[in-house]
Amino acid sequence: MAREFAARGRNLALCARRLELLEELREELAARHPGIRIGVRRLDVNDHEAVFRVFRELDAELGGIDRVVVNAGIGKGQPVGTGYFHANRETAETDFVAALAQCEAAMELFRERGAGHLVVISSVAAVRGLPGSMTAYSASKAALAALAEGLRADVSGTPIKVSTLYPGYIRTQMNERAGKMPFMIGVEEGSRLLTEAMEREPAGAYVPSWPWRPLAFALRRLPTSVLARMLQRFP
C-alpha cells in the first residue's frame, strides 16, 4: 500500500517492528518518487505509549497526518479451550486492543485540527463468529469493526471520516504458509484494491467487492451448522 500511495504522490508515515525493512522501502520509494516525504519509525503497536508518541512525532515531522491506516494484525489463535489461551490473548491484544490505541492516537490528532480520515482494516472474518483457530481472530476483527462504527457515528456531520475495510484472503507473509484458501488474491492486487477503496473514503467496503460482498450477505444468514460444515473444507 505504501508503494500505491507513493505512486499517487502522497507523503508517507510508515511504522513497523522491523525498521530495516522500512528504511529499505523508504530508499526505494524516494528513488522512484523524489517529490514525496517519507517518515519511518520502529513501532510495536502493543507498546501503547509508543503508539501515541510515534504518531505525534510523525505528525510533527510531516506537517500533519491526514489519514491513518490501522493495519497491524496477527492470526495465531487456536480453538478456545485447547490450552492455547496465550495465542488467543495475543491475537486479541494485537488485533483489537492495540488497534484501539492507534484509533485513540489518530483521533486525538484529527479532533485537534477538525479533519482527518481514519481507516481500520477489519476482515471478512468479522462477518460471523468462526470456529477453530479463527474464533479469536474473527471476534477481534468484529470488535474492531464495531469500534469504527461507533467512531463514525461520533463524528458524523464533521469533516472527520472513518472507514472500515473488510478484505478477503490476500497472500501476505501472515498467511503464506496457509493451505487452500477461497478466492485468494495476490498482495499487489490486494494492495491496489485496498488503496483504491481508501481513496473513496467509504463508511465500509469489502475488498475485493466481488465475491466478498455477496458472500458476506449470505454468511450472515447461514445456520451455524451449515457454516461449520462449509468451513471444515478449509484449514
Side-chain angles (χ1 to χ4, degrees):
M1 286 189 286
R3 294 185 178 99
E4 291 287 339
F5 281 120
R8 289 166 165 79
R10 302 299 180 87
N11 296 329
L12 298 171
L14 306 177
C15 304
R17 289 176 296 173
R18 292 174 288 181
L19 183 61
E20 65 279 4
L21 296 183
L22 290 180
E23 291 173 337
E24 290 175 9
L25 180 59
R26 177 171 59 184
E27 292 179 6
E28 171 199 325
L29 297 179
R32 291 184 181 179
H33 312 284
I36 68 173
R37 299 171 61 192
I38 306 171
V40 300
R41 291 292 190 283
R42 185 193 306 275
L43 178 62
D44 183 338
V45 294
N46 286 303
D47 183 346
H48 304 146
E49 292 183 3
V51 169
F52 287 85
R53 183 184 71 252
V54 166
F55 278 34
R56 290 279 178 181
E57 290 176 355
L58 288 168
D59 186 67
E61 178 180 330
L62 295 174
I65 293 174
D66 57 15
R67 174 181 286 150
V68 171
V69 182
V70 178
N71 188 48
I74 60 174
K76 57 190 299 186
Q78 294 294 324
V80 173
T82 61
Y84 289 91
F85 169 67
H86 65 282
N88 292 323
R89 185 196 65 221
E90 288 177 33
T91 297
E93 288 175 347
T94 300
D95 293 4
F96 179 67
V97 179
L100 172 61
Q102 294 167 79
C103 290
E104 291 266 11
M107 292 300 289
E108 283 186 4
L109 298 175
F110 296 160
R111 288 181 188 275
E112 286 174 7
R113 63 179 55 106
H117 183 205
L118 176 65
V119 181
V120 303
I121 307 297
S122 182
S123 169
V124 294
V127 171
R128 287 287 296 270
L130 299 181
S133 61
M134 294 291 289
T135 300
Y137 179 80
S138 66
S140 301
K141 289 298 188 178
L144 179 57
L147 172 66
E149 184 175 20
L151 289 173
R152 195 156 46 246
D154 201 29
V155 298
S156 178
T158 77
I160 301 174
K161 305 298 182 185
V162 180
S163 297
T164 309
L165 301 188
Y166 301 88
Y169 295 111
I170 300 174
R171 181 66 70 185
T172 65
Q173 288 182 341
M174 185 169 127
N175 58 29
E176 62 187 359
R177 289 180 292 181
K180 181 180 179 182
M181 307 296 283
F183 311 112
M184 180 80 75
I185 62 175
V187 67
E188 291 82 8
E189 180 183 6
S191 297
R192 175 179 58 80
L193 293 173
L194 285 165
T195 303
E196 290 174 354
M198 290 179 211
E199 295 283 67
R200 296 193 297 270
E201 298 186 352
Y206 292 93
V207 181
S209 180
W210 176 264
W212 291 110
R213 186 178 181 86
L215 282 176
F217 180 86
L219 283 172
R220 287 194 183 96
R221 290 156 179 80
L222 284 176
T224 302
S225 58
V226 175
L227 179 67
R229 289 196 300 271
M230 288 176 58
L231 293 175
Q232 285 175 358
R233 298 175 55 193
F234 303 103

